[in-house]
Amino acid sequence: MKCHDRKHRRMPRRVVVFLLLVWIGGIKGFALGSADKSQKGSGDRERHPSIAVFIPGVMSGSPIYEMLAEGVKQAAAEKSNAQGQVTVTVIEGGFNQAEWEGRITALAASARYDLIVSSNPSLPAIAASVSAKFPKQRFLLLDGALAGKPQIYTLRYKQREQAYMAGHIAALVAEEALQGENKAVRLGLVAGQEYPAMNEVILPAYREGAQQVDPKGTVDFRVVGNWFDAGKGAELAADMIRGGATVILSIAGGANEGVVQAAFEAGAKVVWFDTNGYGVRPGTVVGSAVVYQDKAAYEQTIRFLEGRLPFGKAEQLGVAEGYVDFIEADPDYQASVSAPVREKQRILIEQIRSGVLRLEE
Ligand code: RBF
């Protein structure tokens, strides 16, 4: 202490003030320099954006949600190198849908997140309700649609294309198994729950794709009632198979496992949705109609971080744009599905990709 005091006493006051000013100037100059490297004229929060990913359910068993978190994290990691730290907080909202709005309201009320990212067709209405109370809160929502809200951007996939391709492969495989018997193909669809995109887009397009193969083809549609109960999934699938269904499309999150197990035990087949599922049970899974949600989440997060995300807009992307696809290049697909069936499926995909077959929604 004494030594310090002595030093100060020896230095004239003017010199101390001068040195202090130089020191403060140096810090300021440095701070401005780094701000210039990131986003000009933006506040501290924009230089260090914070993103919440709200999973409406749980990630385990639902690859559509795993892809969501993955894509956002990848974009954040990439932008963290160039522009400082972008933080991503992933919150699992659980299966009680009645709690989701409260959970999202709490996230908005915390004012901690520049962006809330989420995914499924029920989210736009929830986000609209929350943003009415918190007008500064912005949302990036995938797999849902709502235009005209200045805080909300949505992107949904052309699921008529996705489900049509699923119905087409399912019917081709079912038809081949009939070995020329004069019977109509019988397919199944197990869904986690009923919702407009399921009832009005996915189920009809699945049937439509099947009926391109066999105009008399029918679809047995069953609902688990949640997105986790593998036991119930297995029970429904086994019952459908007893009723004559030979190929089942499963869109039921964690309950998909039960559907695959029941199909395997009964010698029936399964078509997978959203991700490549051939490896789940090689020989039983005979089709994978996918959405590239990881790519969409990555690209839209990048757009947000670069200030280019068009809030207020609802976009829709499909096969031609590279967001909906059917996986052909997989050894398990090639091993479990005959060459003539794969050739017919290849032609269908080509027709959708080139625009010869238009599946507008
Ligand atoms: N799909 C899942 O794979 N897992 C889920 O937990 C899940 N929860 C959903 C909850 C609601 C309220 C709605 C409307 C859809 C849900 N989906 C879920 C379906 C998902 O949005 C999408 O339709 C399917 O993944 C097919 O692409």
Side-chain angles (χ1 to χ4, degrees):
M1 237 354 218
K2 265 195 167 161
C3 170
H4 209 77
D5 286 346
R6 226 178 290 138
K7 237 183 176 175
H8 268 250
R9 240 176 278 135
R10 254 192 266 136
M11 223 184 265
R13 177 161 287 200
R14 269 179 309 164
V15 175
V16 172
V17 170
F18 174 76
L19 286 176
L20 222 90
L21 285 175
V22 167
W23 184 63
I24 290 168
I27 290 174
K28 264 184 102 176
F30 175 78
L32 283 176
S34 58
D36 280 345
K37 262 185 254 150
S38 54
Q39 286 177 1
K40 270 188 192 154
S42 58
D44 190 51
R45 285 188 47 151
E46 269 163 308
R47 280 203 308 281
H48 306 282
S50 182
I51 300 174
V53 179
F54 182 82
I55 305 293
V58 303
M59 284 201 280
S60 172
S62 294
I64 196 154
Y65 294 155
E66 281 168 357
M67 287 191 281
L68 179 75
E70 238 167 68
V72 175
K73 280 186 192 163
Q74 198 195 331
E78 197 175 301
K79 285 295 175 185
S80 287
N81 296 336
Q83 301 186 343
Q85 196 67 28
V86 180
T87 59
V88 176
T89 309
V90 180
I91 298 125
E92 282 191 326
F95 289 116
N96 186 350
Q97 296 175 11
E99 287 177 3
W100 293 349
E101 183 161 342
R103 301 283 299 268
I104 295 171
T105 301
L107 293 177
S110 77
R112 281 176 57 194
Y113 304 103
D114 301 275
L115 185 71
I116 296 175
V117 184
S118 195
S119 158
N120 93 31
S122 76
L123 262 296
I126 294 174
S129 163
V130 174
S131 63
K133 287 171 269 172
F134 299 95
K136 284 196 186 139
Q137 183 61 62
R138 287 182 291 177
F139 293 90
L140 158 56
L141 305 177
L142 303 182
D143 184 27
L146 180 67
K149 297 279 177 196
Q151 306 98 314
I152 303 172
Y153 166 86
T154 65
L155 190 167
R156 72 175 297 259
Y157 308 102
K158 293 185 179 169
Q159 288 196 304
R160 185 166 166 218
E161 296 179 338
Q162 188 189 4
Y164 193 101
M165 293 190 293
H168 194 263
I169 189 70
L172 286 173
V173 169
E175 185 188 54
E176 190 177 54
L178 286 173
Q179 295 180 321
E181 259 186 85
N182 188 23
K183 277 201 216 157
V185 303
R186 297 200 68 174
L187 307 180
L189 198 172
V190 177
Q193 71 182 85
E194 293 193 79
Y195 49 103
M198 175 57 67
N199 294 16
E200 292 157 26
V201 180
I202 298 173
L203 171 60
Y206 178 62
R207 191 181 286 126
E208 205 185 352
Q211 289 178 347
Q212 182 181 318
V213 176
D214 177 0
K216 293 203 177 85
T218 57
V219 175
D220 188 353
F221 177 61
R222 309 282 184 102
V223 178
V224 177
N226 60 60
W227 297 91
F228 56 83
D229 191 346
K232 182 82 189 286
E235 203 181 290
L236 294 176
D239 199 50
M240 278 177 163
I241 296 165
R242 280 192 293 273
T246 52
V247 184
I248 301 170
L249 171 63
S250 193
I251 308 178
N256 291 336
E257 290 296 332
V259 174
V260 172
Q261 184 60 28
F264 170 73
E265 285 167 11
K269 305 292 179 189
V270 170
V271 173
W272 209 250
F273 217 60
D274 294 338
T275 47
N276 182 339
Y278 298 115
V280 172
R281 180 73 79 159
T284 295
V285 178
V286 294
S288 294
V290 305
V291 288
Y292 294 122
Q293 166 125 308
D294 42 358
K295 177 178 155 193
Y298 165 79
E299 289 175 353
Q300 302 314 322
T301 305
I302 292 281
R303 255 171 133 189
F304 169 74
L305 292 170
E306 292 179 351
R308 297 187 288 112
L309 191 65
F311 287 99
K313 258 186 122 175
E315 295 187 304
Q316 197 181 21
L317 301 168
V319 169
E321 296 84 9
Y323 292 85
V324 174
D325 205 357
F326 183 89
I327 310 290
E328 297 173 280
D330 189 296
D332 287 326
Y333 175 61
Q334 284 147 15
S336 56
V337 178
S338 75
V341 164
R342 282 186 279 123
E343 178 57 14
K344 285 179 193 159
Q345 185 71 358
R346 188 193 66 75
I347 292 167
L348 172 82
I349 297 159
E350 190 45 45
Q351 285 172 341
I352 298 175
R353 196 169 284 139
S354 65
V356 170
L357 177 61
R358 287 190 172 277
L359 298 167
E360 307 296 339
E361 282 179 26

